[in-house]
Amino acid sequence: MRHLLMLAAEGGGEGGMWEAIKHNPTFLMANLVVSAVVVTIIIERTAFQLGRYRVNSKEFFAQVKKLVAAGNIDRAIKLCDASDYPILQLVKAGLTHANKGADEIDAALSEKLSELKPAVEKRIGALWSLANIATLIGLIGTVSGLINTFASIAAQGLSQADKQRMLSNGIAEAMYNTAFGLTIAVVCMIAHVLLHTRSKNIQHDLEATTERVFNLLTISSKPGY
């Protein structure tokens, strides 16, 4: 095994990964496409989570609570209309039904919450599937490279030097396929853990905000509040 790795290193030094792509581009290019999709999803989801949910829900709710306690429901709604952040729109859904019964308030909040939660988790689950796909593409590329290499060196009339060169280049190509696929898979798994954890925190925050708004509106509507 050590001898094979040394040969692979020698062969890789001549052209590296670019030489492997030129020799048999199919599987490496397929994983390049997968990696582009992965990077796009990670950037888009990160921007969505950091951009759309950068509002501190507790601080915002504290402002709304003061307005509701003072009877300024309309002003609280205008405060929510200041931006289209999901947290603000969730609070607004409850405030627009503030003068109605508890059942209608709960229904309005639940409906808005059901609209917001799926968007938080959107496309994150695909990262796990892409990790498996990248790994399998890399393994297929590895097996294909080794099959082609051993078939080539079995040809008649080749010198020992030519066989060693072809073997080292073939092993290098196989190792590049494996390494590239595993690298994409690791990036997918790390990104999935981070984005999924963040999305769960956001969903819990949305649920907590729903409960706060419901309690605020139902309690403040009671006589003697």
Side-chain angles (χ1 to χ4, degrees):
M1 177 58 73
R2 178 180 297 179
H3 178 63
L4 293 179
L5 292 176
M6 290 174 64
L7 289 174
E10 292 173 1
E14 296 177 1
M17 188 173 181
W18 177 245
E19 192 65 31
I21 293 176
K22 289 195 297 182
H23 182 258
N24 188 7
T26 304
F27 300 103
L28 286 171
M29 292 302 296
N31 260 342
L32 278 175
V33 174
V34 173
S35 65
V37 174
V38 169
V39 171
T40 302
I41 292 176
I42 292 174
I43 293 175
E44 188 274 331
R45 287 289 87 191
T46 301
F48 175 83
Q49 291 183 356
L50 296 179
R52 299 286 291 168
Y53 287 92
R54 61 185 178 184
V55 177
N56 189 314
S57 61
K58 292 183 179 180
E59 292 182 1
F60 176 74
F61 180 76
Q63 298 178 27
V64 171
K65 186 176 181 179
K66 291 179 181 179
L67 294 173
V68 173
N72 294 323
I73 300 293
D74 292 338
R75 188 174 176 184
I77 293 176
K78 290 182 180 179
L79 182 63
C80 295
D81 286 332
S83 179
D84 62 345
Y85 292 132
I87 288 291
L88 277 64
Q89 297 308 306
L90 178 60
V91 175
K92 179 184 176 181
L95 292 175
T96 53
H97 293 76
N99 296 325
K100 300 179 181 179
D103 290 339
E104 293 192 38
I105 295 174
D106 182 54
L109 289 170
S110 298
E111 181 179 353
K112 193 64 178 180
L113 181 63
S114 65
E115 293 177 7
L116 297 175
K117 288 180 69 175
V120 179
E121 192 73 18
K122 191 175 181 180
R123 284 186 287 276
I124 294 178
L127 290 173
W128 199 261
S129 298
L130 289 171
N132 293 326
I133 292 172
T135 302
L136 292 175
I137 290 175
L139 290 176
I140 294 174
T142 299
V143 174
S144 175
L146 291 176
I147 291 174
N148 293 334
T149 298
F150 289 123
S152 298
I153 63 177
Q156 298 294 328
L158 293 176
S159 65
Q160 190 63 28
D162 287 337
K163 288 184 178 181
Q164 285 189 350
R165 178 180 55 80
M166 294 173 66
L167 180 62
S168 63
N169 289 337
I171 294 176
E173 176 189 332
M175 293 173 67
Y176 278 127
N177 274 287
T178 301
F180 194 29
L182 291 176
T183 300
I184 296 173
V186 169
V187 172
C188 284
M189 291 177 181
I190 294 174
H192 180 272
V193 170
L194 296 176
L195 292 173
H196 181 70
T197 301
R198 171 69 176 164
S199 70
K200 287 300 180 184
N201 292 336
I202 291 174
Q203 289 178 346
H204 292 158
D205 191 39
L206 289 172
E207 293 170 356
T209 301
T210 299
E211 293 181 5
R212 293 191 193 104
V213 174
F214 178 78
N215 292 336
L216 173 65
L217 297 178
T218 54
I219 293 174
S220 63
S221 64
K222 291 180 179 180
Y225 173 74

